Amino acid sequence: MGKIALITGITGQDGYYLAKLLLDKGYQVHGVRQPLAHDDTHHLTPLRHALTLHWGDMTDQTSLNHIVQSVQPDEIYNLAAQSHVGVSFAVPEYTMNVNGHGTIRLLEALRLYAPEARFYQAGTSELFGNSPAPQNEQTPFDPQSPYAAAKLLAHQAVVKYRTQHGIYAVNGLLFNHESPKRGDDFVTQKIVKAALAILAGQQDALVLGNLDAERDWGHAVDYVEGMWHMLQQDVPDDFVLATGQACSVRQFVEEVFTALGHQIKWQGQGLDEVGILVENNQEVVRIAADYYRPAEVHCLIGDSRKAQQKLNWSASTTRQQLIQDMIDAQQDIYGADIQTQRIRA
Ligand code: NAP
Ligand code: G4F
């Protein structure tokens, strides 16, 4: 029989791609779903029949104990989180409870009920904050948000359970990764969906915050492969996964419109800056202070040479392929209207 995996956060973006990867590898895949979420399994529809889902919550030790005890997993992937950095400024205590204390709860459940299980923690490049790029495993942490502070607690807990309790527990320090399954509130998906809606005549403008932030955007399908590799090593260790390519939010906007056959030019500065379609001067991008964060992480570019050398992992999907994949996934909704716009342009 194949190995047994338990995934928290299975209803999210990475949960889908990881569950698919593990099912393809012959794993029995179990997932945790929150009791209060509604419509949480729509991403999972193509896989749903092959998965076993359990009610549980990262804020509830009893449910995690019960799930770990009954599933007896070989591998636990802790992907569950309040994963929006901007939102974490509004709900800092909740974010710490889910992302920080929740990780400790799950590690305790493992230690008590399945101590031989291997543990993957969904760590983040946000830990590096404004430490100079490129960032790697040696770069000092500099958390800028409640989200990053909570993930730092989780990171340190994983190191302690590894060194003090002898548990095979690892931190993946993953840079931004996106896909058609990305939540609508993250900037890449917001840009893709808005560009399509604007060009289809269904939305007035795309309203953004800081256009100058730089991120290292890869495709989630590559990153879940790296998660799996981290749990197959002889010795547990922490790894950065990244593409090594920087791109600003501004450039991402330009690349999405270019992929749709349109060119953007920029006018004005700060909150008054606008993005305009070159062909007809239509104002399609505006800035609003609401989308700025109290503290920004300016530039994240990952150096994943350690993962290349020890895991034989590298990000194989280019940003252009990622953008095309995200656009293609929307074609059922916007396809016909977009073609009309192209002819008019
Ligand atoms: P996501 O799409 O936001 O998924 C988050 C998952 O966590 C969802 O399944 C959500 O359930 C679940 N969850 C939230 N609160 C929970 C709670 N209290 N109890 C149980 N489950 C809960 O995030 P993602 O992009 O897949 O990211 C996966 C993990 O990697 C997260 O921990 C994130 O912080 C981390 N990470 C992501 C990136 C990235 O670029 N994507 C980079 C570095 C690290 P519902 O569906 O019910 O809301
Ligand atoms: O898409 P974002 O919200 O992602 P962010 O903050 O980088 O966090 C994501 O990646 C982390 C890894 O580095 C994960 F740990 C985390 O869970 C999440 O998956 O924002 C990207 C950038 C930021 O600089 C933000 O200020 O885009 C900027 N931005 C500008 N306008 C915007 C907007 N972000 C959002 N969400 N919405 C805007 O309108």
Side-chain angles (χ1 to χ4, degrees), residues 83-85 124-126 147 174-176 182 185-188 190 207-210 213 215 217 249 291 293 296-297 300:
S83 75
H84 199 289
V85 175
T124 167
S125 51
E126 277 290 307
Y147 169 82
L174 271 54
F175 284 63
N176 298 51
R182 190 53 143 155
D185 291 340
F186 296 90
V187 80
T188 54
K190 182 172 169 180
V207 185
L208 293 171
N210 180 11
R215 291 292 182 273
W217 276 298
V249 174
Y291 293 111
R293 294 169 182 179
E296 179 63 280
V297 169
L300 293 174

Side-chain angles (χ1 to χ4, degrees), residues 17 179-180 219 320-330:
Y17 288 101
S179 75
H219 197 303
Q320 279 60 40
Q321 290 167 332
L322 165 69
I323 288 172
Q324 199 55 54
D325 193 24
M326 294 178 78
I327 290 171
D328 289 348
Q330 302 302 319

